[in-house]
């Protein structure tokens, strides 16, 4: 039995979309498409040699902002059960088995499929970069441990460093949620206390950026470095319960802040060179803080005023955007290996040469149907497995 992906026509009233039995804010799903497209665009710029050390080159590099957007969205969406238990006054922690199963089936099967495909392709396709090769590399990539130590990021899978960080957040969130609700708030709705605690938690990231170089070479890519991006989304979850009036000027103001933060992050003197990991702690903190501001500003209008009908909401809530957002994770997974094969094996381009729009568009043309197919197969397979497990449990 196969389960079709949500159709572009699934968008409902007031910006809500119903998919896989869940209710979601349609523009937030559309924002996922923007984030995935930004990641592909920055990789196209890198592959074609446009990460130049000037403002334009830095601007192309800063389209990696898609990763902070994904992280903040995860914080916003996944922290909701803990906020809900405080508001309901039940004192019952979320069902961790259900939480773990949902995270596993949403993330792991499609990821494993792509990892195995990339490694099998490496057996018949020349690999100029030995990083992440062999059984050790395969195991590390399958277990989301490729960021802990140098030389484990595989060509065609380098974007998966962010999945290793996100998986660590998934594992830590139940502990964080319990501490915030049980210890900090004592199972009472105390939003001010909750926001203060989240602010303290966010301070882990700049502190980590200061000490990471003394720990290990790759420590700047470890989860604590990016924790405050998740926390930004968690804070928006709390604020969403407090904001009752969203003035019309607030959305344009948020977008202006996001644009300003993005442009400032591209200034060579402030946020470091066009690389994901800056060379010193000051640059790392500045760039990461600017990314926090940009991602929070883009999400805030959608999170705090989900039923608004402005242009921003309508654009991201449009049917094609929602559909693309539904397969954005799978697009994110496949786009790098697709780009590598297309540009080298099909077009015959040399690395660090070529045209950004062509690289981006061709990659997307192939990646979108591949992502749709991957999502369809993996999700239907996991749902069939879930049904069999429930039947055997009843038996």
């Amino acid at each position: 039995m196969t389960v079709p992906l949500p159709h572009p026509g699934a968008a409902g009233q007031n910006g809500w979309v119903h998919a896989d039995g869940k209710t979601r804010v349609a523009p937030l799903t559309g924002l996922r498409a923007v984030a995935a497209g930004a990641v592909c665009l920055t990789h196209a710029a890198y592959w074609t040699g446009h990460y130049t050390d000037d403002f334009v080159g830095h601007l192309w590099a800063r389209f990696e902002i898609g990763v902070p957007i994904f992280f903040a969205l995860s914080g916003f969406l996944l922290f909701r059960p803990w906020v809900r238990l405080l508001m309901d006054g039940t004192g019952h922690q979320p069902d961790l088995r259900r939480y773990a199963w949902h995270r596993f089936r949403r993330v792991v099967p499609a990821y494993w499929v792509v990892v195995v495909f990339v490694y099998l392709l490496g057996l018949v396709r020349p690999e100029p970069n030995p990083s992440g090769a062999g059984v050790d590399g395969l195991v590390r990539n399958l277990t989301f441990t490729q960021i802990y130590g140098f030389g484990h990021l595989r060509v065609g899978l380098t974007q998966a460093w962010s999945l290793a960080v996100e998986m660590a957040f998934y594992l830590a969130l139940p502990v964080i949620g319990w501490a915030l609700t049980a210890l900090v708030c004592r199972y009472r709705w105390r939003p001010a206390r909750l926001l203060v605690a989240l602010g303290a938690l966010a301070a882990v990231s700049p502190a980590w950026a200061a000490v990471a170089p003394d720990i290990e070479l790759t420590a700047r890519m470890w989860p604590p470095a990016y924790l405050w991006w998740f926390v930004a989304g968690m804070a928006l979850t709390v604020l969403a319960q407090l904001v009752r009036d969203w003035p019309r000027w607030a959305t344009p103001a948020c977008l202006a802040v996001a644009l300003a933060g993005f442009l400032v992050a591209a200034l060579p003197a402030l946020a470091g060179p066009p690389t994901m990991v800056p060379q010193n702690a000051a640059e790392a903190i500045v760039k990461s803080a600017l990314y926090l501001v940009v991602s929070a500003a883009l999400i805030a209008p959608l999170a705090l005023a989900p039923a608004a009908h402005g242009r921003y909401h309508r654009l991201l809530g449009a049917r094609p955007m929602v559909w693309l957002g539904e397969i954005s994770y799978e697009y994110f997974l496949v786009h790098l290996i697709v780009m590598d094969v297309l540009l080298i094996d099909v077009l015959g381009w040399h690395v660090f040469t070529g045209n950004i729009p062509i690289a981006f568009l061709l990659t997307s043309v192939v990646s979108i149907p591949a992502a749709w197919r991957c999502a369809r197969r993996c999700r239907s397979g996991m749902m069939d497995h879930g049904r069999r497990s429930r039947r055997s449990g009843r038996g």
Side-chain angles (χ1 to χ4, degrees), residues 117-133:
F117 173 80
V118 169
Y119 273 84
L120 288 176
L121 184 64
L123 298 177
V124 296
R125 181 173 180 265
E127 293 286 352
N129 188 340
S131 178

Side-chain angles (χ1 to χ4, degrees), residues 169-210:
F169 174 72
Y170 295 162
L171 295 173
L173 182 58
V175 177
I176 295 172
W178 173 82
L180 292 173
T181 55
L183 301 182
V184 175
C185 294
R186 301 290 182 179
Y187 291 112
R188 297 180 181 177
W189 177 234
R190 295 171 172 172
R193 183 179 296 189
L194 190 56
L195 289 171
V196 170
L198 287 171
L201 186 62
V204 168
S205 290
W208 182 265

Side-chain angles (χ1 to χ4, degrees), residues 292-341:
L292 183 154
V293 171
V294 173
S295 57
L298 290 174
I299 296 171
L302 312 177
L304 306 184
H309 298 286
R311 293 180 181 177
Y312 183 56
H313 288 70
R314 292 199 305 271
L315 173 63
L316 295 180
R319 294 173 181 178
M321 293 298 294
V322 172
W323 185 80
L324 289 171
E326 286 291 342
I327 61 169
S328 60
Y329 172 62
E330 291 78 11
Y331 173 94
F332 174 83
L333 289 178
V334 304
H335 82 275
L336 260 187
I337 190 62
V338 168
M339 183 181 297
D340 205 47
V341 171

Side-chain angles (χ1 to χ4, degrees), residues 85-165:
L85 78 86
L86 291 178
M87 298 191 67
D88 293 346
T90 60
H92 297 304
Q93 292 290 325
D95 184 345
L96 295 187
R97 288 180 299 181
R98 184 173 182 271
Y99 166 82
W101 171 245
H102 282 184
R103 289 299 88 209
F104 177 88
R105 76 178 188 181
R106 181 66 186 93
V107 174
V108 177
Y111 175 67
W112 280 353
V113 167
V114 175
V115 169
V116 171
F117 173 80
V118 169
Y119 273 84
L120 288 176
L121 184 64
L123 298 177
V124 296
R125 181 173 180 265
E127 293 286 352
N129 188 340
S131 178
V135 175
D136 176 66
L138 174 62
V139 171
R140 280 184 170 271
N141 277 273
L142 287 174
T143 57
F144 302 94
T145 56
Q146 65 268 47
I147 62 174
Y148 306 105
F150 186 75
H152 306 299
L153 298 181
R154 178 71 168 175
V155 172
L157 291 171
T158 54
Q159 81 281 25
W161 72 265
S162 63
L163 293 180
V165 173

